[in-house]
């Protein structure tokens, strides 16, 4: 299957897919109503803007899905959502170094560019933007975006500097693509709040759309980092969705004390030891400030490490109304 390339940087076509990755996340068969060829690839901002400008002149609505590659069904669901709501869908594939802390897995992060293009083929992507680091962070780059509020607790505490890197690259990509709507998954709940806060505070003319978390058969949220898990670690990782299920069941059964709920959530995780818990928190779904009682919609968030792989997940707890 051939790929149309426009000003392609040869460095973006790297790292063919591994068998492990293909087995972990098989791709859905093609929808007969969607394109049957790989989307074209651009690697420069100038080429990207020319392509998007032509679509805008034709009066088309532009959707945007930001990824770091190693695509799985969670990413592809965002692309399908964008293609359903927009006339022209851009997908970025860029492993952003500035959002990795020094102790994290930048060098080991899965890079499966050719497989990603194959995966995008049936999903309605119209253009792939795959820049190199030198295109995103030009020599002398010295401007960074720091978001307060929802960026400060939880991931902000455990991964200092992470959201500075996220906010900076998202703002830069928004400026490069200038989409009408951008699509993000609810699995990265705190990131979603941070991006919405930034977009609102900076008056960005983009609609930030949230899409449901896509899960595997045992409930584990799909993540590119799931590929790191050994079979035993993968089995123990199923404790994360069970932990959230325990919280949902407790609230449905009338429990309102947030600390009691969090304690039982931790017990579910601890039963899957060895496992290191970073946090288990019940918080306000807009501010991420901890709550003492579940009296309205509340977000339960957790982060844990299994064999060195850090996994996050969340759910909205909604107490029954009388």
């Amino acid at each position: 299957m051939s790929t149309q390339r426009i000003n392609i940087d040869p460095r973006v076509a790297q790292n063919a897919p591994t068998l492990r990755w293909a087995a972990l996340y098989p791709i859905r068969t093609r929808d007969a109503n969607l394109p049957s060829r790989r989307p074209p690839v651009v690697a420069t901002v100038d080429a990207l803007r020319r392509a998007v400008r032509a679509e805008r002149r034709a009066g088309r609505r532009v959707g945007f899905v930001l990824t770091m590659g190693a695509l799985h069904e969670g990413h592809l669901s965002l692309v399908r959502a964008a293609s359903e709501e927009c006339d022209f869908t851009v997908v970025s594939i860029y492993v952003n170094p500035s959002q990795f802390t020094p102790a994290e897995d930048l060098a080991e992060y899965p890079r499966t560019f050719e497989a990603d293009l194959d995966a995008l083929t049936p999903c309605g992507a119209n253009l792939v933007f795959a820049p190199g680091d030198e295109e995103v962070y030009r020599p002398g780059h010295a401007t960074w975006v720091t978001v307060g509020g929802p960026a400060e607790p939880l991931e902000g505490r455990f991964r200092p500097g992470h959201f500075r890197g996220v906010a900076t690259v998202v703002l830069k990509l928004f400026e490069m693509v200038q989409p009408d709507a951008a699509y993000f998954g609810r699995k990265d709940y705190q990131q979603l709040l941070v991006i919405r806060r930034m977009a609102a505070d900076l008056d960005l003319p983009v609609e930030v759309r949230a899409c449901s978390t896509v899960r595997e058969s045992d409930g584990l949220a799909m993540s590119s980092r799931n590929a790191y898990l050994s079979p035993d670690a993968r089995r123990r990782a199923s404790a994360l969705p069970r932990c959230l299920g325990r919280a949902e069941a407790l609230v449905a059964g009338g429990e309102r004390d947030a600390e009691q709920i969090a304690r039982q959530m931790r017990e579910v995780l601890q039963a899957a030891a060895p496992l290191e818990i970073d946090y288990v928190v019940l918080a306000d779904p807009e501010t991420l400030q901890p709550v003492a009682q579940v009296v309205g919609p509340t977000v339960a968030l957790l982060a844990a490490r299994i064999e060195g792989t850090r996994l996050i997940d969340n759910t909205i707890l909604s107490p029954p109304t009388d």
Side-chain angles (χ1 to χ4, degrees):
M1 185 179 296
S2 63
T3 303
Q4 179 186 357
R5 295 177 183 267
I6 306 172
N7 291 350
I8 184 68
D9 185 330
R11 282 167 289 187
V12 304
Q14 60 184 351
N15 295 314
T18 63
L19 291 176
R20 181 181 183 189
W21 189 260
L24 183 63
Y25 291 126
I27 302 304
R28 289 183 180 177
T29 56
R30 187 175 74 85
D31 184 328
N33 296 319
L34 292 175
S36 59
R37 64 175 184 172
R38 283 175 163 189
V41 179
V42 296
T44 68
V45 175
D46 286 345
L48 168 71
R49 286 178 172 164
R50 284 198 300 271
V52 173
R53 192 179 303 123
E55 299 302 319
R56 289 204 174 283
R57 281 199 297 265
R60 298 188 177 100
R61 177 176 168 84
V62 176
F64 185 31
V65 178
L66 299 78
T67 84
M68 295 205 300
L71 303 183
H72 53 68
E73 185 57 34
H75 300 111
L76 302 182
S77 70
L78 302 179
V79 179
R80 283 191 288 269
S83 66
E84 289 171 3
E85 297 182 1
C86 300
D87 305 303
F88 187 81
T89 297
V90 179
V91 177
S92 63
I93 297 178
Y94 176 62
V95 181
N96 175 39
S98 70
Q99 69 188 66
F100 288 77
T101 67
E104 290 181 340
D105 54 350
L106 174 60
E108 291 77 28
Y109 194 86
R111 291 165 171 83
T112 57
F113 188 74
E114 294 297 327
D116 292 342
L117 295 182
D118 286 339
L120 289 169
T121 298
C123 296
N126 300 105
L127 183 70
V128 171
F129 178 47
D133 289 340
E134 69 286 348
E135 188 72 12
V136 177
Y137 298 104
R138 305 287 176 84
H141 178 90
T143 301
W144 302 93
V145 179
T146 300
V147 180
E152 293 173 349
L154 307 176
E155 297 296 291
R157 184 163 67 89
F158 281 90
R159 302 176 70 190
H162 168 68
F163 282 130
R164 185 186 82 150
V166 169
T168 299
V169 79
V170 170
L171 179 60
K172 287 177 69 67
L173 289 169
F174 279 178
E175 288 298 312
M176 293 172 184
V177 177
Q178 299 186 351
D180 296 291
Y183 295 75
F184 297 88
R186 287 193 175 94
K187 181 186 78 72
D188 297 295
Y189 188 86
Q190 186 174 7
Q191 174 181 277
L192 175 64
L193 292 187
V194 170
I195 292 168
R196 281 183 165 167
R197 182 74 272 153
M198 177 185 72
D201 289 350
L202 299 182
D203 300 306
L204 302 181
V206 58
E207 179 185 355
V208 177
R209 301 277 284 114
C211 299
S212 299
T213 300
V214 177
R215 299 183 178 277
E216 303 198 46
S217 59
D218 64 351
L220 182 67
M222 287 191 175
S223 169
S224 300
R225 289 185 171 88
N226 291 356
Y228 299 158
L229 300 173
S230 69
D232 178 64
R234 175 62 186 81
R235 176 186 58 78
R236 287 186 281 117
S238 65
L240 274 70
R242 290 201 307 274
C243 166
L244 297 175
R246 174 70 63 84
E248 292 169 346
L250 287 168
V251 171
E255 180 63 70
R256 298 292 180 266
D257 185 273
E259 182 49 43
Q260 284 295 326
I261 296 168
R263 179 182 61 78
Q264 293 200 40
M265 291 174 67
R266 285 191 291 268
E267 289 175 356
V268 173
L269 292 177
Q270 289 162 351
L275 175 152
E276 180 183 349
I277 301 173
D278 278 357
Y279 58 78
V280 173
V281 174
L282 274 66
D284 181 281
E286 297 298 327
T287 66
L288 295 186
Q289 292 303 304
V291 299
Q293 295 287 319
V294 180
V295 296
T298 300
V299 62
L301 306 106
L302 61 88
R305 301 172 189 268
I306 304 177
E307 292 184 351
T309 297
R310 192 170 186 275
L311 302 174
I312 61 173
D313 207 346
N314 67 85
T315 190
I316 298 294
L317 305 174
S318 299
T321 56
D322 297 331

